[in-house]
């Protein structure tokens, strides 16, 4: 079956890319604020490589979910494999190609920046390839926080500044929590079908009602962290620009609260809306930090 480039791009779940791209952008903004010389010829390929690995991981995850029966006609799932719009081998081949491209970018950056990058990149690639192992054992939240909160910011610090400024990890908490929220909503919606497939997720363990309440907490925590970090000087006060995205977070939280009157249908689609919130929050945070860097 022949597919258009738009269909191939859609298979990567591109709407989720803010969770892999924006930590790199925010990290570069932070480095500018710290008055480091940012090596853009390394930072830009790092951004591209991170997104490519993310796309490869998405495809591999969907392949595993389909093979394990997690994605089926009863589940709120990506339809491409379930309804045979794509064949599993196409997803696997595309994933391998993207992993190869991401690895090539990583090796190039290693030559430019130093062998230490192999450790950071190797951990990221290993986690991306083993995501389903973590996901099926209720450890998906730990995975996404590590891959989309911790590794991108310290990796960006290394390639863009030439060393790791460990203080940059302050970005990991707000950005990582919003990323966890994307996965958490998806797993909350799929509690029934995931249970029938024999896998284990955090929402399955704590129950639907508690999962919805936890999602709402996730909509609040990143803002609290930014406020605290600005007060104690770990982030510039201009980072409070991220609070301009509060209306989006409030809308998402209100939609989730609708679960208590409408049931789990209220949670459907919140994963994409949460990714959009991540983009808005991260952009505002980054712009605020960049503006502060000029003063």
């Amino acid at each position: 079956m022949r597919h258009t480039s738009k269909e191939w791009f859609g298979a990567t779940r591109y709407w989720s890319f803010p969770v892999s791209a924006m930590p790199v952008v925010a990290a570069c903004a932070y480095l500018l604020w710290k008055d480091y010389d940012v090596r853009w010829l390394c930072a830009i390929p790092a951004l591209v490589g991170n997104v490519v690995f993310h796309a490869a991981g998405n495809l591999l995850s969907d392949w595993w979910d389909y093979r394990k029966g997690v994605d089926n006609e009863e589940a709120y799932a990506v339809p491409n494999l379930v309804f045979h719009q794509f064949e599993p081998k196409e997803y696997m081949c595309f994933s391998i190609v993207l992993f190869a491209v991401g690895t090539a970018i990583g090796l190039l950056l290693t030559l430019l920046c130093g062998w230490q990058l192999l450790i950071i990149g190797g951990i990221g690639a290993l986690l991306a390839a083993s995501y389903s192992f973590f996901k099926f054992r209720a450890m998906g939240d730990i995975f996404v926080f590590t891959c989309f909160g911790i590794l991108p910011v310290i990796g960006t610090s290394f390639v863009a500044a030439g060393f790791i400024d460990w203080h940059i990890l302050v970005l990991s908490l707000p950005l990582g929590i919003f990323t966890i929220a994307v996965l958490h909503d998806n797993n909350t919606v799929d509690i029934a079908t995931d249970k029938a497939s024999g896998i284990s997720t955090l929402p399955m363990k704590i129950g639907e009602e508690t999962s919805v309440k936890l999602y709402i907490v996730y909509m609040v925590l990143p803002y609290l962290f930014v406020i605290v970090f600005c007060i104690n000087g770990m982030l510039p006060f201009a980072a409070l620009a991220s609070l301009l995205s509060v209306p989006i977070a409030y809308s998402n939280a209100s939609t989730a609260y609708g679960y208590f009157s409408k049931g789990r249908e209220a949670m459907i689609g919140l994963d994409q809306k949460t990714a959009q919130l991540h983009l808005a929050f991260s952009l505002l945070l980054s712009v605020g930090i960049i503006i502060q860097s000029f003063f």
Side-chain angles (χ1 to χ4, degrees), residues 271-292:
D271 51 353
Q272 295 190 33
K273 291 181 180 179
T274 307
Q276 293 168 3
L277 169 61
H278 189 302
L279 175 61
F281 173 90
S282 304
L283 275 176
L284 289 166
L285 178 73
S286 301
V287 169
I289 295 174
I290 291 172
I291 290 174
Q292 187 78 49

Side-chain angles (χ1 to χ4, degrees), residues 206-227:
I206 64 178
E208 281 191 9
E209 289 191 7
T210 304
S211 292
V212 173
K213 293 175 182 176
L214 181 56
Y215 175 86
I216 294 173
V217 170
Y218 285 155
M219 294 297 99
V220 177
L221 281 181
Y223 298 102
L224 295 181
F225 279 121
V226 169
I227 291 171

